[in-house]
Amino acid sequence: MDLQNLTDYERRRLENIRRNKEMVASLKLHSKAAALSEEAKRRRVESKSNKVSPKKKPKTESPIVIRRSLRTRGLPPDFSSGNGLKDEFVESMIKGPKSPSTPEGSKSPSLPEGPLSIRDRVFLDKILGVSKESQLRNSDNCSADDEVDEKKPLDCLIKRESRGGVEGSVDLGSMTLNAENISRIMPGRIMNLRFFPCIDSTMIVAGDKSGHIGFWDVDCEKERDGVFLYQPHEDPVSGILIQEFSQSKIFTSCYGGSIQLMDAEKEVFDKIYSSESAIFSLSQQPNYVNCLYFGEGNGGLNLWDMRAGKEPSSSWPLHEYRINTIDFNINNPNIMATSSSDATACIWDLRKIDLDKPKTLKTVSHARAVHSAYFSPSGSSLATTSVENKVGLLGGVNFEDLSMIYHENHMCRWISSFRAIWGWDDSYLFIGNMKRGVDIISTACRKTVMTLQSAHMSAIPCRFSAHPYTVGMLAGATGGGQIYMWKSC
């Protein structure tokens, strides 16, 4: 470069560049930068070749506590505020190998083969006493001119007061639930319950999910002497049938496919029928005391005459899926109603049912499974209950008038399905709700007009029974083995 032709500014600039290079060289910045670059490359190579992940530091957050119910822990519900069986008493009274502390859904050991003995003198004396009172009352209602057919023992029972023969209607406002009318009679979820059809005594029988049959003598002052618990079944109890002319004989059925006969005179529970298919419902045509009707398997209805042998005498394929209830018209015992999980409820004439292609008199279609279909006390109406949040009401000539009444019937899996039952006349239906109450539906208004609630209710009542002779006496059962009993003042 020719320095002579440069300007003063350019010469000063070149001089500054020279001095800066000398300064950088004296500090050795280039060598240090190269050394740092080589070190960075070496560390990157080592990190890629090392596959061991660094250990994660343990979290110091508080652990999440999962709430578990008594049921999932295998413990019976705590009803310390109410009356009923204590836990240790339940364990001591169960006649069977399964403990009440066994969680629901677990498999219990098989029950012993053959009849199960009833070794409880207090209980047997009570049942036999109630049965004797009923027989004496029925014999007083029969005249000497009454004929007794072999197929219809004590046919004069037609003349006695029946479900439709109770005089008067209930005062809804007077129905109350007191603490002394609450009892926990069994450890499991109650599937069925019935009042004994007697006037002089108040007794209730119930069946639960584990196959227990419990009896509650409401009139007994001592709690332990008033509750009796047995386990004749291994599976959920699907039906309870009390012989009205002889209340010492009680039929019970279960999902395991068996029917047991409790005979207080013989002091045994005896298995009288067994099937490989489940039995979902049990009923009896009025006054035909030797014949049982039961829903078996997917939609089959069986008629079994106990005098004919071990096999059903007739069978009909009435529905596509299980039959949940069977009910007979009090005014015409040949008219029968069935409800099914195939979303229908049907009315049949037993005299016209064809064995191959049964034809209904009336079919009520719902959107989802129908859990009940019951005739009214007068026999002129039919009420159905479906999971689709509807209660169906049929009336009129030949049940031609149909009304659908809204009611929330969705329930949790820990309670039994809601079933609307009739009271003591054709005016009202009673059904449980998810708010621990009992809704009363007026058939005239076609809606819920009142709800029974009480501070004593600690669970949801789901299955009900109205006393056949005492107006205003209603029993409701819960998923925890409790029974509530309302009485009209």
Side-chain angles (χ1 to χ4, degrees), residues 177-421:
L177 175 66
N178 299 322
E180 62 269 19
N181 291 327
I182 301 175
S183 180
R184 178 173 175 247
I185 72 168
M186 50 183 42
R189 166 158 57 103
I190 295 180
M191 308 285 290
N192 275 276
L193 80 159
R194 294 284 186 275
F195 273 106
F196 272 71
C198 53
I199 296 176
D200 303 321
S201 301
T202 303
M203 287 194 66
I204 300 174
V205 57
D208 74 355
K209 186 177 179 180
S210 301
H212 298 102
I213 301 295
F215 299 83
W216 180 24
D217 180 8
V218 182
D219 301 327
C220 186
E221 296 180 358
K222 295 182 179 180
E223 177 185 336
R224 290 197 174 187
D225 291 339
V227 177
F228 310 92
L229 189 62
Y230 305 90
Q231 190 181 10
H233 299 282
E234 296 179 271
D235 302 281
V237 177
S238 58
I240 298 175
L241 188 61
I242 304 175
Q243 291 280 22
E244 295 190 33
F245 76 96
S246 178
Q247 295 175 31
S248 62
K249 292 180 174 60
I250 300 175
F251 295 95
T252 59
S253 62
C254 75
Y255 288 3
S258 67
I259 298 177
Q260 294 270 2
L261 171 61
M262 190 213 81
D263 193 330
E265 295 179 354
K266 296 181 180 179
E267 303 181 7
V268 295
F269 284 93
D270 192 10
K271 183 186 292 186
I272 60 174
Y273 180 82
S274 181
S275 171
E276 295 182 356
S277 301
I279 295 177
F280 296 108
S281 51
L282 179 68
S283 188
Q284 194 169 49
Q285 195 175 9
N287 301 302
Y288 285 85
V289 296
N290 290 311
C291 296
L292 296 177
Y293 288 81
F294 53 94
E296 182 179 350
N298 282 335
L301 177 72
N302 291 339
L303 165 61
W304 181 37
D305 190 333
M306 292 177 286
R307 300 165 300 179
K310 294 289 185 179
E311 298 296 328
S313 55
S314 299
S315 297
W316 302 276
L318 299 188
H319 290 272
E320 295 182 5
Y321 297 106
R322 53 182 277 184
I323 297 176
N324 294 310
T325 60
I326 306 167
D327 194 35
F328 292 91
N329 194 303
I330 191 66
N331 287 330
N332 188 349
N334 291 309
I335 302 300
M336 176 187 68
T338 56
S339 65
S340 173
S341 295
D342 66 4
T344 65
C346 300
I347 300 177
W348 314 83
D349 188 337
L350 294 177
R351 297 164 297 186
K352 300 178 182 179
I353 293 184
D354 186 83
L355 293 177
D356 297 326
K357 296 181 179 180
K359 186 177 181 180
T360 67
L361 295 179
K362 181 71 177 181
T363 299
V364 181
S365 297
H366 287 266
R368 298 185 63 184
V370 183
H371 282 297
S372 67
Y374 297 127
F375 285 108
S376 65
S378 69
S380 60
S381 299
L382 182 76
T384 65
T385 310
S386 172
V387 185
E388 66 165 326
N389 294 334
K390 296 287 181 64
V391 173
L393 186 62
L394 283 78
V397 180
N398 297 325
F399 301 98
E400 295 177 352
D401 300 332
L402 173 63
S403 300
M404 289 293 179
I405 305 169
Y406 176 81
H407 185 273
E408 186 175 350
N409 296 326
H410 289 156
M411 74 295 295
C412 65
R413 60 182 297 185
W414 313 122
I415 67 173
S416 300
S417 58
F418 292 137
R419 295 180 177 181
I421 71 161

Side-chain angles (χ1 to χ4, degrees), residues 39-111:
E39 181 67 17
K41 291 181 180 179
R42 183 181 64 80
R43 289 183 179 180
R44 285 198 295 269
V45 172
E46 290 180 355
S47 64
K48 289 181 179 180
S49 62
N50 189 1
K51 300 294 183 179
V52 180
S53 301
K55 294 183 179 180
K56 295 182 179 179
K57 296 182 179 180
K59 295 183 178 179
T60 58
E61 299 179 0
S62 301
I64 299 175
V65 179
I66 300 177
R67 184 178 178 183
R68 296 184 65 198
S69 65
L70 293 176
R71 186 202 63 78
T72 59
R73 285 180 284 165
L75 300 175
D78 181 14
F79 295 116
S80 56
S81 59
N83 295 329
L85 288 176
K86 301 298 186 293
D87 292 343
E88 62 271 16
F89 183 56
V90 172
E91 293 184 8
S92 65
M93 289 196 67
I94 292 179
K95 304 299 189 291
K98 185 175 181 180
S99 169
S101 61
T102 304
E104 285 192 27
S106 61
K107 189 67 176 177
S108 63
S110 298
L111 295 174

Side-chain angles (χ1 to χ4, degrees), residues 428-449:
Y428 301 105
L429 292 166
F430 296 83
I431 186 172
N433 63 42
M434 291 299 293
K435 298 180 179 179
R436 297 183 181 179
V438 184
D439 289 334
I440 303 176
I441 299 175
S442 170
T443 57
C445 301
R446 301 292 198 274
K447 64 179 181 179
T448 300
V449 294

Side-chain angles (χ1 to χ4, degrees), residues 166-172 174 424-428 471-472 488:
V166 181
E167 296 293 336
S169 59
V170 64
D171 179 7
L172 299 179
S174 67
W424 301 269
D425 56 21
D426 290 13
S427 302
Y428 301 105
V471 175
S488 180

